[in-house]
Amino acid sequence: MSSYIIALDQGTTSSRAVLIDEKAQIVGIEQLAFTQYFPEAGWVEHDAQEIWESQQKVLLRLIEKHKIAPTAIKAIGITNQRETTILWDKKTSQPIAKAIVWQDRRTADFCTQLKEEGWESYIQQSTGLIVDAYFSATKVHWLLENIPNAKEKAQKGELCFGTVDTWLLWKLTEGRSHYTDHTNASRTMLYDIRKLQWDTKLLEKFDIPTSLLPEVKPSRADFGYWQYEGHAIPILALAGDQQAALFGQFCWEKGTAKNTYGTGCFILMNVGETAPFSYEGLVTTLACGLNETPLYALEGSIFIAGAAIQWLRDSLHLIDNAEDADYFAQKAPEDHQVYFVPAFVGLGAPHWDMYARGALYGLTRDSDKNTIIRAALESIAYQTRDVLEAMRRDTQILLSHLKVDGGASKSNFLMQFQADILNKEVIRTQTPESTALGVAYLAGLQAQLWTPNELIKNYNNTNKVFSPTQRSDWRSLKYRGWKKAIKKTKTK
Ligand code: ADP
């Protein structure tokens, strides 16, 4: 009988269940979207119950559709949208409010206050994070302060806090397991990433009782069982989506990195067993390793990447489909000096300028649609280089190649330009499912379904390698132009 791993991939807009066979290949995917709530400007919520129900539905549908016997499922792994915050009643398992999603900005003023009170450097030292509404700590605080009776109940030990991994685990195990993993804990802004424990000083500051918190385990561990048709199926891995993708991209060694080109970009670099302090606007986070020793990653996110191509399509109507961008870009002159800075919502890592706005520089009478499209694609690669250079300054690590995935990595033009502007090989994967694969690899390792060597041997996920072809004077000239454009765009 064949053996399988099931990865539950709980994302911001949909819940997915992915079936992986014993050769670590994806053989089935089920997906369901769920409701996004925007009750006020800057607020984003999910219904935790609906997240669970959609996740349960796709899990059962996957098993039924592929006629998988319960005994054939060797393990379940959970990967999830990170930072999203849920509080629920320990006895009834009922959420006490809607989940506050990572994108939610309602606690931005509280974060400003924290900075004014001088918490920034302590928080960065302990948690590796910058003070921002993005992370869970201020969301938990908000729920405790604003939901009637929440604080009293929390103090009496009647509530549980969890990010989405913890919530799904609680539901799958019918309230028997209240755990999270290193990667998710490191996104709460409450976890000391070097001591590997909840930070009591921060818990005190945010008025969060310890009884609320899940126990933290390595990403590969025994997290409990899901009872299905009389069988106990072990849950053996939990990991936040970006860290799961880093593992799924086989970035297992210090100095390896991946970039996911979606709406924005998520760049993570494995920096080994010592946590660096970032002076360059990056966050330090816990990552998944091959064993229990914690690994660290530097992470930089770019707000607008593929979304710049969407903008060309939907707002300027320069293209009908995102895939057409390459065709036009190739018709523009290679040495043009037009720069498109897509700072539509400010600039993310490593610049961090909330007030910057988008701009086009260097237009001349012969600038045309082709050049603008080319400049938009190029901007994605320049922003990626900015983040990778910041990582190099923080760690002195020299990157050997970049692993890539995500929707916009389908652009051959962008990938070649990325290789040229970095002067590094860019390696694109066959399937875009690095996240689900990553957590499945972890669960399968824990279940002893495969060894690391077997995974690498069976791994046949490379789609294309893009090698640099340009001269260094071309690269320097182009990148210098970009740096000038960024300088002109920044407000500080
Ligand atoms: P997300 O997970 O953030 O929703 P995806 O990984 O699905 O994003 O990627 C979608 C993004 O990729 C869109 O912003 C789209 O404009 C861009 N994209 C998709 N295909 C291409 C392409 N061939 N060339 C350039 N950009 C593309």
Side-chain angles (χ1 to χ4, degrees):
M1 192 173 68
S2 309
S3 300
Y4 297 93
I5 300 288
I6 293 179
L8 303 182
D9 180 2
Q10 206 303 307
T12 309
T13 56
S14 72
S15 299
R16 287 145 33 95
V18 182
L19 188 65
I20 288 108
D21 70 11
E22 55 208 8
K23 295 210 171 69
Q25 303 299 309
I26 293 176
V27 289
I29 301 182
E30 291 296 318
Q31 177 163 353
L32 249 182
F34 56 87
T35 321
Q36 309 285 317
Y37 295 91
F38 307 103
E40 288 189 37
W43 292 31
V44 188
E45 295 181 344
H46 290 158
D47 177 345
Q49 201 59 38
E50 190 186 354
I51 288 185
W52 157 244
E53 281 160 17
S54 59
Q55 194 61 74
Q56 189 186 32
K57 249 183 226 159
V58 289
L59 169 61
L60 294 173
R61 208 193 274 166
L62 185 80
I63 295 172
E64 283 155 20
K65 197 158 156 186
H66 295 271
K67 302 192 170 56
I68 308 295
T71 47
I73 308 169
K74 295 302 165 210
I76 291 176
I78 303 173
T79 179
N80 56 293
Q81 51 164 322
R82 304 174 302 172
E83 300 100 9
T84 297
T85 299
I86 306 169
L87 292 189
W88 66 90
D89 187 298
K90 209 174 254 177
K91 271 214 189 85
T92 65
S93 297
Q94 285 298 316
I96 65 158
K98 290 245 166 53
I100 305 184
V101 178
W102 57 274
Q103 296 150 324
D104 191 292
R105 305 299 306 166
R106 80 184 66 177
T107 56
D109 288 346
F110 182 38
C111 290
T112 308
Q113 186 194 320
L114 289 170
K115 287 185 205 164
E116 283 164 4
E117 290 170 8
W119 281 91
E120 235 172 338
S121 86
Y122 180 81
I123 288 179
Q124 197 190 353
Q125 279 294 348
S126 168
T127 69
L129 305 175
I130 51 165
V131 176
D132 196 273
Y134 182 22
F135 306 109
S136 317
T138 60
K139 301 180 196 288
V140 181
H141 176 79
W142 190 94
L143 287 168
L144 292 176
E145 293 296 318
N146 290 279
I147 302 302
N149 306 323
K151 210 165 189 172
E152 294 72 35
K153 286 181 113 181
Q155 271 151 0
K156 282 193 258 163
E158 294 171 7
L159 298 184
C160 293
F161 153 66
T163 40
V164 173
D165 53 313
T166 304
W167 166 244
L168 291 178
L169 179 68
W170 178 270
K171 295 299 285 182
L172 281 169
T173 60
E174 295 168 77
R176 285 184 298 270
S177 295
H178 190 213
Y179 300 122
T180 188
D181 81 303
H182 284 149
T183 67
N184 278 293
S186 72
R187 314 297 297 183
T188 58
M189 215 168 85
L190 295 168
Y191 195 67
D192 185 320
I193 58 168
R194 291 177 184 82
K195 294 189 191 139
L196 299 179
Q197 62 192 35
W198 296 110
D199 183 312
T200 45
K201 193 166 158 186
L202 290 176
L203 293 175
E204 211 168 286
K205 170 67 190 163
F206 294 112
D207 228 346
I208 298 173
T210 31
S211 63
L212 208 63
L213 302 169
E215 185 186 323
V216 187
K217 295 191 173 208
S219 300
R220 259 178 73 181
D222 295 333
F223 289 102
Y225 294 88
W226 176 52
Q227 290 293 342
Y228 174 63
E229 293 195 341
H231 294 271
I233 300 173
I235 300 156
L236 297 183
L238 302 186
D241 53 9
Q242 295 308 320
Q243 286 95 332
L246 186 70
F247 195 81
Q249 281 276 24
F250 287 78
C251 295
W252 296 355
E253 276 165 31
K254 182 174 169 178
T256 50
K258 71 95 194 170
N259 189 9
T260 302
Y261 299 78
T263 308
C265 278
F266 280 104
I267 306 170
L268 271 82
M269 181 192 270
N270 176 338
V271 294
E273 293 176 13
T274 319
F277 181 89
S278 177
Y279 295 94
E280 296 284 344
L282 303 167
V283 303
T284 310
T285 203
L286 280 156
C288 315
L290 277 177
N291 48 45
E292 291 206 353
T293 319
L295 267 190
Y296 296 93
L298 276 179
E299 175 169 331
S301 28
I302 297 167
F303 299 145
I304 302 288
I309 309 305
Q310 277 170 316
W311 183 74
L312 297 180
R313 185 191 61 196
D314 303 339
S315 298
L316 296 194
H317 306 287
L318 291 185
I319 44 175
D320 293 330
N321 302 300
E323 299 80 69
D324 299 339
D326 276 23
Y327 168 81
F328 295 105
Q330 257 135 14
K331 295 206 289 185
E334 189 174 272
D335 55 352
H336 74 88
Q337 281 290 313
V338 173
Y339 291 92
F340 178 4
V341 183
F344 298 148
V345 292
L347 287 167
H351 309 293
W352 294 112
D353 187 336
M354 293 306 120
Y355 302 102
R357 288 298 173 261
L360 261 172
Y361 297 100
L363 294 173
T364 54
R365 273 300 285 271
D366 62 348
S367 302
D368 57 6
K369 161 179 171 173
N370 300 334
T371 313
I372 293 172
I373 294 171
R374 184 173 182 125
L377 283 168
E378 290 178 353
S379 76
I380 303 173
Y382 289 130
Q383 294 185 91
T384 301
R385 176 161 168 186
D386 289 347
V387 170
L388 289 170
E389 296 230 332
M391 289 179 173
R392 186 172 50 82
R393 286 192 297 271
D394 269 339
T395 61
Q396 312 305 321
I397 294 173
L398 221 60
L399 186 75
S400 65
H401 57 267
L402 182 67
K403 293 287 199 79
V404 302
D405 52 41
S409 75
K410 283 184 275 182
S411 163
N412 287 333
F413 174 85
L414 170 59
M415 294 301 103
Q416 184 57 50
F417 188 80
Q418 186 72 81
D420 287 333
I421 211 67
L422 289 175
N423 198 27
K424 304 275 179 221
E425 273 188 350
V426 169
I427 304 175
R428 183 169 65 191
T429 50
Q430 191 88 42
T431 59
E433 310 296 340
S434 314
T435 305
L437 280 175
V439 83
Y441 294 165
L442 289 165
L445 286 166
Q446 190 69 6
Q448 299 184 330
L449 187 60
W450 43 57
T451 63
N453 275 343
E454 280 166 345
L455 267 183
I456 292 171
K457 209 172 67 198
N458 289 337
Y459 172 57
N460 186 18
N461 204 12
T462 300
N463 160 272
K464 200 167 158 114
V465 180
F466 296 86
S467 302
T469 55
Q470 288 285 4
R471 297 210 324 264
S472 80
D473 51 347
W474 173 91
R475 187 165 30 255
S476 307
L477 183 72
K478 292 283 277 185
Y479 191 56
R480 219 178 306 133
W482 167 259
K483 296 270 251 202
K484 272 193 213 147
I486 281 284
K487 203 166 165 198
K488 281 187 261 185
T489 308
K490 283 168 86 163
T491 60
K492 50 177 188 195

